[in-house]
Amino acid sequence: MMQNVHLAPETDEDDLYSGYNDYNPICDIEELENDAAFQQAVRTSHGRRPPSKTSLASSIGRPMTGAIQDGVTRPMTAVRAAGFIKAGLRGSAFDPLGQSRGPAPPLEVKKKDSPEEKIKQLEKEVNELVEESCIANSCGDLKLALEKAKDAGRKERVLVRQREQATTPENINLDLTYSVLFNLASQYSVNEMYAEALNTYQVIVKNKMFSNAGILKMNMGNIYLKQRNYSKAIKFYRMALDQVPSVNKQMRIKIMQNIGVTFIQAGQYSDAINSYEHIMSMAPNLKAGYNLTICYFAVGDREKMKKAFQKLIAVPLEIDEDKYISPSDDPHTNLVTEAIKNDHLRQMERERKAMAEKYIMTSAKLIAPVIETSFAAGYDWCVEVVKASQYVELANDLEINKAVTYLRQRDYNQAVEILKMLEKKDSRVKSAAATNLSALYYMGKDFAQASSYADIAVNSDRYNPAALTNKGNTVFANGDYEKAAEFYKEALRNDSSCTEALYNIGLTYEKLNRLDEALDCFLKLHAILRNSAEVLYQIANIYELMENLSQAIEWLMQVVSVVPTNPQVLAKLGELYDREGDKSQAFQYYYESYRYFPCNIEVVEWLGAYYIDTQFWEKAIQYFERASLIQPTQVKWQLMVASCFRRSGNYQKALDTYKDTHRKFPENVECLRFLVRLCTDLGLKDAQEYARKLKRLEKMKEIREQRIKSGRDGSGGSRGKREGSASSDSGQNCSASSKGERLSAKLRTLPGTNEPYESSSNKEIDASYVDPLGPQVERPKTAAKKRIDEDDFADEELGDDLLPE
C-alpha cells in the first residue's frame, strides 16, 4: 500500500519560484553576434524568404499562428486586435490602426422626441422658471415673480403626468415638486394673496411624502398674524414648534419670539411675559429683553420693569473692539487692521451695537417716569444701571434726555441746569448739550446767549451740523446773511442730509435776492422731502417773487394736495388767480378758505367786494356783517352793510343800520350824510336834526384842521393831531387814509416765510426736537389784495344830491 508513496528527503527543499528563469535557447539574443547563420541572413536576402512550416515549427518549437497541427488550425484571435489578419501573410500592407477602412461613422443622434428627453427638458425649464421667480422677487418685481411661479407650477404638473406615464411613480422628483410649491406659496404671501398662500402651504403640509414639511406651519402662522387672526397664528406657531427638534435651538427660540409678539398684539401681556421669560432664561437676546420690558410696562409692574431692564443691559453684544486696535508698529498688522475696520463684518457689528443702544435708550425713556415717584428719580436709577454696564457712554445721552423731558414740562431752569452740567463732559456730549442750550436761548430771543453756546458747540465738535446750523441762525437773526450762508454751507459739507441747513440757506439766498440759487436749494430739498408743505410753499413763493405766477399757482396746487384744509394756502391761491384776472377761480379758493377759517378779514373783504361787483347785494351783506364782528371798532364794515341794504331797495333796514351806526360812532361824518339823505328821501322829520349835527361836525373839523396847521411843529400840534385822529376825523380824511391801509394774513400752519429752521441737538444723541421757527421776520408783501373803500362807494351813490348847507 505504501509502495507508491515517496517521501522527499529532508535536505531537498522545494523552491516555489524555480523554473521561471528557464527559456528556450532560440530566444537568447546575447549570442546573436556570434551566430553565423543569423549574420548571413541579415547580409543577404535569405532572411526575407518565408521559412517553411516544418523548419519554422522545428526551430521555434510551437506551431505558427494559423498553422495546422494535428488536424487543428491554431486560432488567430490573439493577433487580430493588433491589426494582423490572415491576408497579411499574403503580402498586404501593414495597417495596424485600420486607416485604410476610412473614417469612423458618425455617432448616432439621440431622438429628441423620446419620453426621457422630453422629461429632462421639461425638468430643466421648471428649474429655470423657479430661479427666475426668485430673482424677480429679490429685484422687487413681485408680480413678475408670481407669474413665473405660476408657470413653474403648471409645467411641474405636466412633468409629473409624463413621468407617471413613462416610468414608475417611484421615479417622481419630490424635491422639484416641493421647491415649486414652496416658491409659489411664498410669492402668494408677498403679493398679499393670503388665501391662495395658505392653500398652497396646506398642500405641502398634508403630503406625507415631503419630509420636514411641518416647519412650514410657521409661515402659515405668519400669514394669520398679518390677517390679525391671533388665535390661529398662535396655534400654527405651536404646531411648528412641535415639529422642530430640540437640537435646533435657534429655530425654536425664533418661533417662541413670534408667539410672544402675537400675544402682545392680542393684548395678552401675561402670556407674552411667559414666552419672553423663557427665552431670556434659555438664550437671551436684545429683542426679547426689549419686548419683555414693554410687557411689564403694559401691566404696570415697577419691580419687574427694573429687572427686565437689567436683563436687557446684561445681554452680551459679542463684539471684540480690541481687534480693531493695532497693538504694534508692524506694517503688515497695521494693514490688516485698516482693512477690517470697515468690512462687512464690522458694519454688521456697528448695526448690532446701534440697535442695542436704541433698545436701551427707548426702554429707559419709557420706564423712567413710572418706576419711581418722579421721572427725575427714575432717570437717575436708569443712569446708575447704565453706568455699571458695558454701555457706559449711554449714561450722558440719558442725562440729555432728562433735560429734554424738563423742556417738555416747561421747566426750563432744570433743563438749563442739567445741560450746563454736561458741558464738563467729553467733546461729543459737550457739543450736544451746548447745541440744546443754544436752541433754548434762541427760542427765548436771547440771541447773545444763543450765539455764545453755539460757539461752544462748534468749538467742541466742528463736524456737528446741528451746532453749525444754530450758529447760522444766530447770525441770520442779526442780519448778516452772507455769514449765515457760510455756516449753513459748512453744515451741509459735514452732513449732506441736514435738511434744516438746506432750508435755511434757501431763505438766506431769498433775503439776498439771489432767487435762482434759492430756488435750486428748495428744489433739492423737495427731492429729499417729497411731501413737505413748507418746502412746496417756499418754491411757490420764489416763483411769485420772480413774477412767474403760473408756476407759483402750480406749486401751490401741490401744497393744497398735501394740506387741503389750510385756509392761508387757499387764500394765496385765490390772490394769485385774482392777479391773473381769473375771478371765478379766485372766488372758488377764497370761498374754500372762508369755509375753513371765516375770521380772515382779507378773505371776507374780497368775497364781499366780489358780490358787490356781481350786484348780489344780499349775499354781500353776510360777509360785511362777519367783518363787523371781526373788527367791531371799524365803522366802514357797518356802513357797507347799510349801503348794501340801500342798494337792494330795503331802505328801512338801511335806515335802521345807519341809526345804529350813528349811536356807536356819533362823530362819523359819512354816517350822518347817509342819514340826512335817507331821511329826506323818506320824508322823515329827523332829516333836519341830522343836518344840524352834520354841520356842527364839519365846523369842528375845520377848527381842528386849523389847529393842526398852526401847531404842526409844536407839541400841542402833535397832541391835537392825535386827538383829531381819535375823534371826528373819521370822515373823508379817515376814509382817504384807509385807502392805503393793507390787511395782511400770515401762514399760521406753515412756518414763517422767512424764518430759518433751527437744529436742537446732535442727531446721534437723540435729544429733543424743538419747534423749528426762527425770528419773526416780516415778509414784504408783493401781492395787492382786493380792497373796498367806503368813500368811493358812498360818493358814487350820493352824487350831486347832497343837501345844501
Side-chain angles (χ1 to χ4, degrees), residues 441-474:
Y441 283 116
Y442 185 86
M443 289 187 295
K445 307 300 180 183
D446 189 350
F447 299 127
Q449 287 286 350
S451 179
S452 174
Y453 280 104
D455 290 334
I456 294 174
V458 171
N459 294 332
S460 300
D461 185 4
R462 190 70 187 184
Y463 299 99
N464 185 355
L468 292 167
T469 302
N470 282 354
K471 181 60 180 177
N473 289 349
T474 58

Side-chain angles (χ1 to χ4, degrees), residues 6 10 38 108 130 136 177 207 313 339 351 356 375 380 393 398 401 425 449 463 509 554 564 578 597 599 613 649 673:
H6 302 279
E10 295 180 1
F38 178 77
E108 183 179 357
V130 172
T177 305
N207 194 335
I313 291 285
E351 292 174 0
F375 85 92
D380 292 338
E393 64 274 7
L398 283 175
N401 278 285
K425 302 291 182 178
Q449 287 286 350
Y463 299 99
Y509 285 143
E554 181 179 344
D578 187 25
F597 185 65
C599 298
D613 291 342
R673 286 180 180 175

Side-chain angles (χ1 to χ4, degrees), residues 171-208:
N171 294 329
I172 296 176
N173 192 345
L174 292 177
D175 293 337
L176 181 62
T177 305
Y178 180 87
S179 62
V180 169
L181 291 175
F182 179 65
N183 179 61
L184 181 60
S186 300
Q187 303 307 329
Y188 276 134
S189 179
V190 296
N191 282 275
E192 298 183 356
M193 301 172 66
Y194 298 130
E196 292 83 354
L198 289 172
N199 292 334
T200 309
Y201 278 127
Q202 285 286 0
V203 171
I204 301 175
V205 172
K206 290 182 178 180
N207 194 335
K208 302 298 183 181

Side-chain angles (χ1 to χ4, degrees), residues 94-111:
F94 180 72
D95 187 14
L97 299 179
Q99 297 179 0
S100 61
R101 295 195 298 267
L107 297 175
E108 183 179 357
V109 180
K110 293 184 179 180
K111 297 180 180 180

Side-chain angles (χ1 to χ4, degrees), residues 373-385:
T373 55
S374 65
F375 85 92
Y379 265 105
D380 292 338
W381 182 88
C382 292
V383 168
E384 293 300 325
V385 173

Side-chain angles (χ1 to χ4, degrees), residues 55-75:
S55 61
L56 186 61
S58 60
S59 61
I60 296 178
R62 66 180 180 86
M64 185 183 66
T65 302
I68 299 175
Q69 185 178 10
D70 297 332
V72 179
T73 305
R74 177 176 171 79

Side-chain angles (χ1 to χ4, degrees), residues 5 36 50 65 123 146 213 234 247 254 276 368 390 514 538 641 731 736:
V5 178
T65 302
E123 186 174 340
L146 180 58
I234 293 172
V247 294
K254 289 183 179 180
Y276 287 122
Q390 55 184 328
R514 294 155 62 176
Q538 289 298 337
V641 173

Side-chain angles (χ1 to χ4, degrees), residues 277-340:
E277 285 286 5
H278 179 73
I279 294 172
M280 293 300 290
S281 62
M282 298 295 295
N285 60 79
L286 294 170
K287 290 184 179 180
Y290 176 68
N291 290 339
L292 182 61
T293 307
I294 292 177
C295 290
Y296 281 125
F297 175 80
V299 299
D301 194 334
R302 294 184 177 182
E303 294 301 325
K304 292 294 182 65
M305 272 189 266
K306 291 182 178 180
K307 292 181 179 179
F309 185 74
Q310 289 173 341
K311 289 181 180 179
L312 174 62
I313 291 285
V315 173
L317 275 180
E318 299 178 355
I319 297 176
D320 185 12
E321 297 287 350
D322 296 336
K323 65 182 178 182
Y324 301 107
I325 302 174
S326 181
S328 62
D329 296 333
D330 185 12
H332 179 71
T333 305
N334 293 336
L335 286 175
V336 173
T337 304
E338 290 295 327
I340 66 175

